[in-house]
Amino acid sequence: MIPYGKHTLFPDDIEAVKHVLESSFLTQGDQVPRFEQAICQYTGAEYAVACNSGTSGLHIACLAAGVSRGDTVWTVPNSFAASANCALYCGASVDFVDIDPATRNICISALTDKLHLALAENKIPKVIIAVHFAGSSCDMAAISAIVEPYGITLIEDAAHALGGSDSDGNRVGLCKYSAMTVLSFHPVKSITSAEGGMVLTNDEETARQLRRYASHGISRDPQLIGAEHADEPWFYAQFELGFNYRLSDLHAALGLSQLKHLDDFVARRLALVREYDKELTDLPVIKPILDENSAWHLYMIELNRHDRKTVFTQLRERGIGVNVHYIPIHLHPYYQKLGFAPGQFPHAEHYYERALTLPLFPAMSADNQQEVVKQLREVLL
Ligand SMILES: *Cc1c(COP(=O)(O)O)cnc(C)c1O
């Protein structure tokens, strides 16, 4: 089976992890700060706080944005559930903005309309989480211009998008238009630390808060704990109810080593995407917009003449590990119990009904890709 996504490890990645195993620190050594600094250097963000998953990153980002009971957070339905769950972890409620069928990212006009309604009802969200779907950046400049007058905090869910940039060439993670950007290092993402995540920000106080939330709410910062403890070298203090969301040095070493390969991975993904774009031209499918700045986490087509279940099943039988991203969040049983229902976000639902993810990963060979194209042609034509 040719998988839809797969990590690529090199001998130097394995050496990096081995090196930590043979050192004095498995966690809280120097690998985490080094990984954080390297990600800052790569993205241009001022501060980075590592955590043990993209999901925990989204949680502490919401906490640092002050999300709590009584607040509302908006995101899009066509994402992984973690993009919305983070708000519920904070006791807030969630609502969704439908997608633009062309970009598959948050729809700018739907956002504008929903904000006007929310203003009339005095229900302006505290935070909006913009998801860079499949690695293609949302139009953050437009989104921030729309939400700015309302004082809404913007968080970028860039779990798909490390290595990509926006249409003006700003690296994803720079936080030019947002308060925070969240990354994931799960094995199917741009680079991996096995499990892992990071929150990026340009605000020093936000970075301090993020760091506390990721480590029990505890700090040793002399400014926080006060001069009266200056002669107590053992002293630390808990200021918030935080979590143990820390990344270990083993994971950080893997992530740091993988970062060296990121640009090659993204270039390889783009080359494969260009090939798909060419090869699928005469097929009855809708191809994604060929965004040259995308990190190309995933390659999804939409079937416009065929039944998705049939095509999916036949391709799987032929050894092509196709997948579907994503079941709209509001349609999960948990969210329907909260009151969401089919029909509420028609563009996301319509997209989901017809979406099919084709295999795409850096180590995918030209032969692999030709096999995917050949089998898809046979099934569709
Ligand atoms: C993978 C993913 C996450 C969660 O990241 P983990 O590291 O798996 O916790 C969040 N949002 C999106 C869009 C993702 O794809």
Side-chain angles (χ1 to χ4, degrees):
M1 184 81 74
I2 302 174
Y4 83 92
K6 189 179 188 302
H7 61 271
T8 307
L9 290 187
F10 292 100
D12 64 338
D13 298 325
I14 294 161
E15 272 310 305
V17 176
K18 214 170 136 238
H19 186 74
V20 175
L21 278 171
E22 290 163 352
S23 77
S24 322
F25 293 98
L26 300 184
T27 191
Q28 296 178 279
D30 70 346
Q31 294 297 306
V32 169
R34 284 181 57 195
F35 187 29
E36 290 172 341
Q37 279 154 26
I39 291 281
C40 282
Q41 215 155 43
Y42 185 89
T43 57
E46 295 267 345
Y47 306 97
V49 176
C51 45
N52 56 12
S53 70
T55 302
S56 56
L58 284 163
H59 185 191
I60 61 172
C62 284
L63 289 170
V67 174
S68 66
R69 199 163 295 281
D71 293 327
T72 304
V73 173
W74 290 0
T75 187
V76 280
N78 71 326
S79 185
F80 184 57
S83 305
N85 289 345
C86 53
L88 303 181
Y89 295 159
C90 302
S93 54
V94 170
D95 202 356
F96 301 95
V97 182
D98 208 351
I99 59 163
D100 177 333
T103 64
R104 303 162 179 177
N105 275 329
I106 190 167
C107 175
I108 303 289
S109 65
L111 173 62
T112 309
D113 293 350
K114 200 176 172 85
L115 277 171
H116 285 151
L117 273 176
L119 185 65
E121 295 174 359
N122 205 12
K123 283 183 177 165
I124 292 293
K126 178 118 181 173
V127 164
I128 293 178
I129 301 175
V131 181
H132 303 310
F133 188 74
S136 186
S137 177
C138 298
D139 186 347
M140 293 305 299
I143 296 168
S144 84
I146 292 167
V147 307
E148 228 234 71
Y150 300 96
I152 297 166
T153 301
L154 274 180
I155 296 175
E156 298 174 67
D157 179 343
H160 297 180
L162 178 64
S165 43
D166 69 14
S167 54
D168 295 324
N170 300 302
R171 276 261 164 91
V172 167
L174 183 60
C175 302
K176 185 168 177 187
Y177 302 103
S178 67
M180 286 168 268
T181 299
V182 181
L183 306 175
S184 163
F185 308 119
H186 181 277
V188 295
K189 310 288 165 81
S190 309
I191 59 168
T192 190
S193 64
E195 294 281 2
M198 213 174 274
V199 188
L200 312 178
T201 181
N202 294 324
D203 182 66
E204 191 179 1
E205 182 49 32
T206 302
R208 282 207 202 99
Q209 271 183 323
L210 288 165
R211 209 169 283 292
R212 286 201 301 276
Y213 278 123
S215 194
H216 310 280
I218 282 172
S219 176
R220 292 177 183 272
D221 182 349
Q223 271 185 333
L224 273 182
I225 60 180
E228 67 270 32
H229 299 290
D231 59 351
E232 298 170 349
W234 67 87
F235 196 82
Y236 61 83
Q238 182 185 339
F239 294 94
E240 293 105 1
L241 185 62
F243 302 84
N244 183 352
Y245 280 170
R246 291 187 307 261
L247 190 69
S248 81
D249 269 42
L250 281 174
H251 295 86
L254 180 55
L256 180 61
S257 179
Q258 283 261 295
L259 188 56
K260 298 198 295 282
H261 306 295
L262 174 59
D263 287 339
D264 291 340
F265 288 163
V266 173
R268 177 66 187 147
R269 285 174 180 274
L270 179 59
L272 290 162
V273 165
R274 286 201 182 104
E275 189 64 19
Y276 271 141
D277 192 70
K278 203 170 73 199
E279 293 283 343
L280 306 186
T281 301
D282 62 329
L283 293 181
V285 301
I286 298 170
K287 297 181 292 182
I289 293 172
L290 187 57
D291 175 2
E292 302 269 340
N293 296 311
S294 173
W296 287 108
H297 166 50
L298 296 168
Y299 189 83
M300 292 90 153
I301 57 172
E302 286 168 76
L303 303 170
N304 51 13
R305 284 221 307 269
H306 294 74
D307 175 55
R308 196 259 314 274
K309 196 189 286 176
T310 312
V311 175
F312 181 98
T313 310
Q314 290 184 0
L315 284 169
R316 280 279 180 101
E317 281 166 8
R318 289 160 177 253
I320 310 300
V322 286
N323 214 327
V324 174
H325 297 88
Y326 289 93
I327 296 135
I329 300 173
H330 68 287
L331 297 184
H332 286 297
Y334 181 81
Y335 280 86
Q336 293 209 38
K337 262 192 281 177
L338 294 179
F340 293 100
Q344 277 187 296
F345 306 100
H347 290 305
E349 294 171 34
H350 185 252
Y351 164 78
Y352 165 64
E353 292 300 328
R354 309 188 308 168
L356 190 69
T357 306
L358 301 184
L360 179 69
F361 49 94
M364 189 176 180
S365 67
D367 283 353
N368 283 160
Q369 190 173 30
Q370 284 315 307
E371 179 64 13
V372 174
V373 171
K374 174 172 169 272
Q375 296 300 338
L376 184 64
R377 295 189 82 81
E378 283 182 18
V379 167
L380 293 184
L381 295 178

